[in-house]
Amino acid sequence: MSHNQSATREFLDRCRALVNAELDRSIEQASASERLQEAMRYSVLGGGKRIRPALCMAAARAMGDDMEKALVPACAVELVHAYSLIHDDLPAMDDDNLRRGRPTTHIAFDEATAILAGDALQALAFDWLANNPAVPADARLAMVQELARAAGHRGMVGGQAIDLESVGKAITLAELETMHRHKTGALIEASVRMGALCATDRDPDRLDALTTCARALGLAFQVQDDLLDIEGDTEVIGKPQGSDLAREKPTYPSLLGLDGAREHLQALLTQAQNSLSDFGSEADPLRAMADYVVARSH
Amino acid sequence: MSHNQSATREFLDRCRALVNAELDRSIEQASASERLQEAMRYSVLGGGKRIRPALCMAAARAMGDDMEKALVPACAVELVHAYSLIHDDLPAMDDDNLRRGRPTTHIAFDEATAILAGDALQALAFDWLANNPAVPADARLAMVQELARAAGHRGMVGGQAIDLESVGKAITLAELETMHRHKTGALIEASVRMGALCATDRDPDRLDALTTCARALGLAFQVQDDLLDIEGDTEVIGKPQGSDLAREKPTYPSLLGLDGAREHLQALLTQAQNSLSDFGSEADPLRAMADYVVARSH
């Protein structure tokens, strides 16, 4: 393991520990229904790489603040991500029984509880963003707007709708990109932007540069996901390998070929790294995260 | 029709017109998926009494502002209400095919689209609250907190979870009340409180009085709903009459008897009206809405 790789692992481990502790603490508070709360905890605390929280905290660091400054938006974006996975896995959607090597929420509990747990996690994300004493009111509002748009019909949910419509259809590379810009890209962009928005010095040029970086990373993340679906090991990726192919979902490798997809991934990584050229060592965690997104094995 | 009744109708009609126009205008903006957007519009614009928006606007009026001041939170609470109906009607939840005399969203579209439309409507509610230029940043944040808590696992969604768990079980009056305080009460309380929170003069005593009024109204609303399920006409209430009974759902009449439930309803109405005793004519729309909630026929 190189020095860079070990620094990245250290940063990711620290983010994960902070975020997991905060999520664990906060979903412990009494809920109206014990079963609902258990389902929420099962879905949120059952592992996960916490890539979005790490991107959020790395962005706060890139703006010159401590990574801890972005702990609340880091958790909020993970709550939205967790809710989207629960709903994605439902029988009416992707109908997946396995996630991160464990039964999906509707299998471990039941479908109704899974739907409600997802709904509650989305509400909780906005509750946290609005109740974050670490940042001023205008920044909190900006983050609520950012997350609401990224999560909604013009962002993540819109992308999931396009995804459902595109199964079994021949689509172009541009259409595939539009789908992913919404489905995964919007939330990754929001992760980075929220981290930057809670910084003390919200320099607009730096925010723009981070946004450009996040857009490239969002697509790179999806290309790597598609490659892992073909090349990855079922045990490591936590879901049946080749499941996209089996569902006739359009992917980057199916449109560009394996080599073409790998080249596309490298080009996106270069784009992400170049957008950070005006930043000093304060952007090193974000640079490391960019490398990690592309190199990850699951 | 008495003078009071016609004034109430006029107020409700005006609220409904304002809210419907705003909802129509705003969900028209381009979405990523046309089908998703259609499902959102179908669910939000397909009728509905707009009781929660009217309560929200009546509360703003009671605090001394124009009712229009609360247009954005009025729409936001209706979006959350609409999303909750879509998810409630799903096969895994109440499995209803009919709502307001029309096919439910998952019947008119499909289950996956219905899940996503609900998810998107929840996000949109927070987007609107955060983007409301009519009120200052701290009031907007207070409204985001209010709605997020009322909608989440300690509010509406928590109540739905209790509801699912209580089907076919013998429960006490106290347990029934806890369920409804969460399931319908929390959102009705938030409607009133958000209307008050966007007022120019946010007098804490008046906010407390309105909160007390809203709590009583929230329960009254549910008692009347239970009575309508027994006494109402299928065509007027828009769903099969007696459907609660058929599902063995506990109701106020099943626990208190018909007369007992009617008395309970009157006591709650008196409580709601009494809490407004220090208000002048500015609270007349809210008083009228309280009477309406109890007297409505669907």
Side-chain angles (χ1 to χ4, degrees), chain A residues 3-240:
Chain A
H3 170 70
N4 266 355
Q5 279 176 313
S6 95
T8 309
R9 180 147 306 276
E10 209 174 287
F11 175 78
L12 249 176
D13 286 346
R14 200 166 153 219
C15 285
R16 207 178 282 133
L18 282 168
V19 166
N20 286 350
E22 179 73 5
L23 290 170
D24 186 29
R25 191 185 62 72
S26 305
I27 314 184
E28 228 172 41
Q29 290 167 33
S31 162
S33 153
E34 215 171 290
R35 186 173 170 81
L36 174 67
Q37 197 173 353
E38 270 172 36
M40 291 167 74
R41 291 180 63 80
Y42 178 86
S43 312
V44 171
L45 299 170
K49 299 175 290 297
R50 313 301 191 201
I51 287 180
R52 289 159 194 78
L55 285 171
C56 183
M57 294 169 95
R61 187 71 207 86
M63 293 295 276
D65 276 68
D66 287 340
M67 57 186 270
E68 286 85 353
K69 188 83 181 278
L71 181 56
V72 169
C75 289
V77 80
E78 190 67 12
L79 292 176
V80 168
H81 177 56
Y83 116 67
S84 76
L85 297 183
I86 302 175
H87 284 191
D88 251 7
D89 288 337
L90 287 167
M93 306 271 285
D94 284 351
D95 195 16
D96 274 316
N97 294 336
L98 203 59
R99 159 85 57 192
R100 294 166 184 162
R102 300 187 315 158
T104 46
T105 307
H106 67 276
I107 299 289
F109 294 81
D110 56 78
E111 237 183 285
T113 303
I115 294 169
L116 292 177
D119 290 343
L121 290 173
Q122 177 167 207
L124 191 58
F126 292 106
D127 190 2
W128 283 12
L129 279 186
N131 280 292
N132 178 11
V135 298
D138 67 327
R140 276 186 265 171
L141 270 182
M143 286 191 271
V144 170
Q145 289 173 20
E146 191 73 38
L147 188 61
R149 287 193 178 166
H153 67 298
R154 286 192 279 271
M156 181 185 74
V157 173
Q160 285 168 315
I162 301 177
D163 193 7
L164 287 171
E165 290 161 19
S166 68
V167 172
K169 276 188 198 158
I171 66 171
T172 65
L173 183 64
E175 287 166 336
L176 185 70
E177 197 168 298
T178 300
M179 174 175 97
H180 289 311
R181 280 207 185 281
H182 288 86
K183 198 185 170 196
T184 39
L187 203 58
I188 285 178
E189 193 180 320
S191 305
V192 169
R193 285 180 55 87
M194 286 200 295
L197 284 171
C198 59
T200 312
D201 175 22
R202 282 190 271 161
D203 178 79
D205 290 340
R206 293 196 146 220
L207 183 59
D208 280 352
L210 291 180
T211 305
T212 305
C213 173
R215 279 201 188 132
L217 272 187
L219 284 182
F221 184 87
Q222 191 57 50
V223 180
Q224 175 66 353
D225 237 32
D226 285 356
L227 285 166
L228 284 171
D229 188 66
I230 294 175
E231 300 170 324
D233 180 308
T234 296
E235 227 171 282
V236 177
I237 61 177
K239 62 176 182 179

Side-chain angles (χ1 to χ4, degrees), chain B residues 31-201:
Chain B
S31 162
S33 152
E34 214 170 291
R35 186 174 170 81
L36 174 66
Q37 197 174 353
E38 271 172 35
M40 291 167 75
R41 291 181 62 81
Y42 178 86
S43 312
V44 171
L45 299 170
K49 299 176 289 297
R50 313 301 191 202
I51 288 180
R52 291 159 193 77
L55 286 171
C56 183
M57 294 169 95
R61 187 71 207 85
M63 294 294 276
D65 276 68
D66 288 339
M67 56 186 270
E68 285 84 353
K69 189 83 181 279
L71 182 56
V72 169
C75 289
V77 80
E78 190 67 12
L79 291 176
V80 167
H81 177 55
Y83 115 68
S84 76
L85 297 183
I86 303 174
H87 284 191
D88 252 6
D89 289 336
L90 286 167
M93 307 272 285
D94 285 352
D95 195 14
D96 274 316
N97 294 335
L98 203 60
R99 160 85 58 191
R100 295 170 185 158
R102 301 188 314 159
T104 46
T105 307
H106 66 277
I107 299 289
F109 293 81
D110 58 78
E111 237 183 288
T113 303
I115 294 168
L116 292 177
D119 290 344
L121 289 173
Q122 177 166 208
L124 192 58
F126 293 107
D127 189 3
W128 282 13
L129 279 186
N131 281 291
N132 177 11
V135 298
D138 66 326
R140 275 185 267 173
L141 269 182
M143 286 191 271
V144 171
Q145 290 175 19
E146 191 72 40
L147 188 61
R149 286 191 178 168
H153 68 297
R154 286 192 280 272
M156 181 183 76
V157 172
Q160 285 168 314
I162 302 178
D163 193 7
L164 287 171
E165 291 161 18
S166 70
V167 172
K169 277 188 198 157
I171 66 170
T172 66
L173 184 64
E175 287 167 336
L176 185 70
E177 197 167 297
T178 300
M179 173 175 97
H180 289 311
R181 280 207 186 281
H182 288 86
K183 199 186 170 197
T184 40
L187 204 58
I188 285 178
E189 192 180 321
S191 305
V192 169
R193 284 179 55 86
M194 286 200 295
L197 285 171
C198 60
T200 313
D201 174 22

